[in-house]
Amino acid sequence: MNLTTTYLGLTLDNPLVASASPLSRTVDGVRQLADAGVAAVVLPSLFEEQVRREAERDAQLAEAGAESFAESLSYLPDPGGEGGPRRYLDLVSRATAATSSSGTWTS
């Protein structure tokens, strides 16, 4: 039986689409969903406020480190904050790479 469908311009092997959930927040979770036969996964949203917050944090960190000694730069917090754009794009990239070999994902 052919269950191929089109969803948002994507050709999917079947109509099973997993909504944003705790499973879709990690590459392992996305991989589990793909292994279970889900044809597409909706990742959690990235909001403009998160992008602006990270940009402001990066600017503050750059200013704070401008007058510091090199040894003290290790005291600064990690600029790649939880759920920020960099982490989100990394999740998209790694999840795509982890599932593209399964043949169920079409872009």
Side-chain angles (χ1 to χ4, degrees):
M1 179 183 310
N2 183 5
L3 295 177
T4 303
T5 189
T6 301
Y7 179 70
L8 297 175
L10 299 172
T11 302
L12 305 176
D13 288 345
N14 63 63
L16 298 176
V17 177
S19 64
S21 70
L23 275 177
S24 64
R25 292 181 186 195
T26 65
V27 175
D28 290 336
V30 171
R31 184 79 208 141
Q32 288 176 359
L33 290 167
D35 290 345
V38 172
V41 175
V42 177
L43 297 178
S45 296
L46 178 65
F47 296 101
E48 180 181 0
E49 294 82 21
Q50 292 171 293
V51 175
R52 287 180 188 254
R53 198 174 321 126
E54 183 171 304
E56 289 172 8
R57 183 178 48 237
D58 286 349
Q60 289 173 348
L61 289 175
E63 285 181 24
E67 297 179 20
S68 299
F69 293 105
E71 301 86 34
S72 65
L73 294 178
S74 63
Y75 295 115
L76 296 174
D78 179 20
E82 179 86 22
R86 290 183 197 127
R87 177 169 275 188
Y88 187 81
L89 291 175
D90 183 53
L91 172 63
V92 171
S93 175
R94 292 184 312 123
T96 301
T99 57
S100 62
S101 62
S102 67
T104 59
W105 303 84
T106 306
S107 51

